[in-house]
Amino acid sequence: MYVDLKSKFTGALIGSAVGDAIGAPVEGWSMEMVSSVYGEKTPWKMIYGRYTDDTEMMIGVAESLIEHKGFNGANMARRFIQNYDAKRGYGPGSKEALKRLREGEGWEAASENLFGGEGSYGNGAAMRIAPIGIVYYDNADTLREIAYKSSHITHSHELGKEGAALQAFSIALAVRGQQEGMVSALSEFVRNDVYKEKIRKIAILLDKEASKKEVIAELGNGEAAFNSVPPAIYSFLRFDKFEDSVVYAVSLGGDTDTIGAMTGAISGAYYGDGAIPTDWVERLEEGEKGKSYIKRLAEELYHLKEL
Ligand code: F2R
Ligand code: MG
Ligand code: MG
């Protein structure tokens, strides 16, 4: 299947925003409650089309990469602060890190004292990582370095950073068109044992007709990066269609907007923007930083590759 690179870049960003918006109305709900709203069968209708913190922060990552033609921590932190809108629903750790940044702490320090000095292992760094996954898709070492640094602005725990790097590398592999070899490439890439074990479980679950309950029990569906990046990767790998992967990811319940966004980013990077249901894109919010703006960011990131 040939999909052009520009369409993959747009697919990753719009796919992430669409996954966020479709999961948002049911965030924190159980699998049963999700199916009582969306039903058991596809197609799913997008309810509001409004995105959350996941997309707002992803926009900040993209804007900063474009402005600096690469990573600049102080600039990215400033973009997060400028874009911040509490109504989008931020995690408490990220909120606190952004407050410290606003008060003048440096981008390398602001997240370090959170959670008793451990730093956050929430999925807030992984959920926004799509621009880094596409821009550095052809260089795993640089991708890892930039994923860690960009995470550190809000998430300094090793598990938060590794989750973001793993999500970025999944998107990179999807850009390269590598679905079949993805599990083995990921297990070679990943450094932390918690994630190594989850990737091993992804392979086992893919080999059988696993139930949703089994998938949730083995991979998780919560706010920790290690309980949301793995089910997103699994949701992508289990199906051969953008819509089916994202619907499945959200149907697991739990952190639905975020697992939806991460699955949408990987799937969009693989299939391209043409594979995203048009009625979902139509319903996705417009406005100053809505879908047209996100598409423009994807195009500018694509042009960064040409420099
Ligand atoms: N915040 C939300 N959703 C709730 C509000 C939405 C509601 N619908 C509304 O309209 O108001 N979603 C967003 O938050 C998640 C991303 O969170 P992030 O940015 O990682 O935040 P945080 O607080 O750093 O981490 C999340 C939780 O993980 C646990 N945790 C993290 N590190 C920990 C550590 N070292 N020790 C113990 N626990 C740790 C904590 O419970 C954190 O609060 C996404 O779902 C996004 O959509
Ligand atoms: Mg959210
Ligand atoms: Mg969420």
Side-chain angles (χ1 to χ4, degrees):
M1 183 185 69
Y2 174 77
V3 182
D4 72 82
L5 195 58
K6 198 166 166 189
S7 163
K8 283 171 168 276
F9 274 42
T10 307
L13 299 205
I14 292 288
S16 185
V18 151
D20 177 12
I22 202 132
V26 293
E27 187 185 18
W29 293 22
S30 68
M31 170 178 106
E32 292 80 10
M33 284 165 72
V34 174
S35 79
S36 75
V37 169
Y38 278 118
E40 293 291 345
K41 292 195 186 125
T42 55
W44 278 12
K45 275 213 168 331
M46 187 177 279
I47 302 174
Y48 301 122
R50 188 170 156 77
Y51 66 68
T52 77
D53 58 332
D54 304 49
T55 304
E56 191 161 77
M57 295 199 89
M58 178 191 77
I59 288 171
V61 172
E63 289 172 334
S64 180
L65 290 178
I66 292 162
E67 193 178 339
H68 266 270
K69 298 188 172 48
F71 179 73
N72 178 292
N75 180 270
M76 195 174 282
R78 198 157 46 246
R79 286 294 191 171
F80 291 159
I81 295 167
Q82 285 166 351
N83 289 343
Y84 181 76
D85 172 3
K87 292 195 291 297
R88 300 281 181 186
Y90 282 68
S94 285
K95 228 186 249 179
E96 176 62 23
L98 295 183
K99 177 169 165 279
R100 290 172 186 225
L101 289 164
R102 214 176 290 117
E103 288 168 355
E105 270 197 62
W107 72 271
E108 284 166 302
S111 67
E112 288 186 340
N113 288 324
L114 302 180
F115 297 98
E118 271 195 348
S120 173
Y121 55 61
N123 54 22
M127 72 190 186
R128 65 183 188 228
I129 205 79
I132 291 170
I134 56 179
V135 168
Y136 301 104
Y137 82 92
D138 50 359
N139 187 331
D141 292 334
T142 310
L143 174 144
R144 183 196 300 281
E145 183 199 330
I146 308 296
Y148 285 169
K149 283 184 179 163
S150 72
S151 299
H152 198 93
I153 300 171
T154 50
H155 291 69
S156 59
H157 197 291
E158 184 196 341
L159 290 168
K161 292 183 183 186
E162 190 68 9
L166 182 61
Q167 170 67 10
F169 194 55
S170 304
I171 293 166
L173 293 171
V175 171
R176 295 183 208 172
Q178 215 174 317
Q179 187 179 37
E180 237 176 65
M182 186 178 272
V183 171
S184 59
L186 292 176
S187 56
E188 270 175 42
F189 173 83
V190 83
R191 289 183 173 163
N192 181 282
D193 286 344
V194 172
Y195 289 99
K196 274 194 190 304
E197 180 58 12
K198 292 264 176 152
I199 292 166
R200 198 182 65 80
K201 286 178 175 169
I202 289 175
I204 294 170
L205 291 164
L206 285 170
D207 270 348
K208 57 177 183 179
E209 273 292 300
S211 68
K212 283 185 191 167
K213 281 199 172 135
E214 255 179 299
V215 171
I216 296 165
E218 298 293 347
L219 304 181
N221 65 352
E223 279 189 335
F226 47 85
N227 286 328
S228 44
V229 175
I233 296 167
Y234 175 81
S235 299
F236 164 65
L237 288 172
R238 181 167 165 152
F239 300 94
D240 56 9
K241 200 172 149 202
F242 179 94
E243 182 179 10
D244 293 348
S245 287
V246 172
V247 161
Y248 183 84
V250 172
S251 78
L252 294 173
D255 198 353
T256 50
D257 63 328
T258 303
I259 301 173
M262 295 193 295
T263 306
I266 306 169
S267 302
Y270 186 75
Y271 299 109
D273 66 326
I276 303 174
T278 44
D279 57 320
W280 289 4
V281 180
E282 273 165 22
R283 197 97 169 108
L284 184 62
E285 69 177 84
E286 206 30 299
E288 199 194 341
K289 294 199 177 179
K291 61 188 164 205
S292 300
Y293 184 72
I294 296 170
K295 281 183 192 170
R296 273 205 305 281
L297 290 176
E299 277 168 28
E300 289 185 46
L301 290 171
Y302 173 75
H303 291 307
L304 264 191
K305 295 298 290 176
E306 293 181 325
L307 293 176

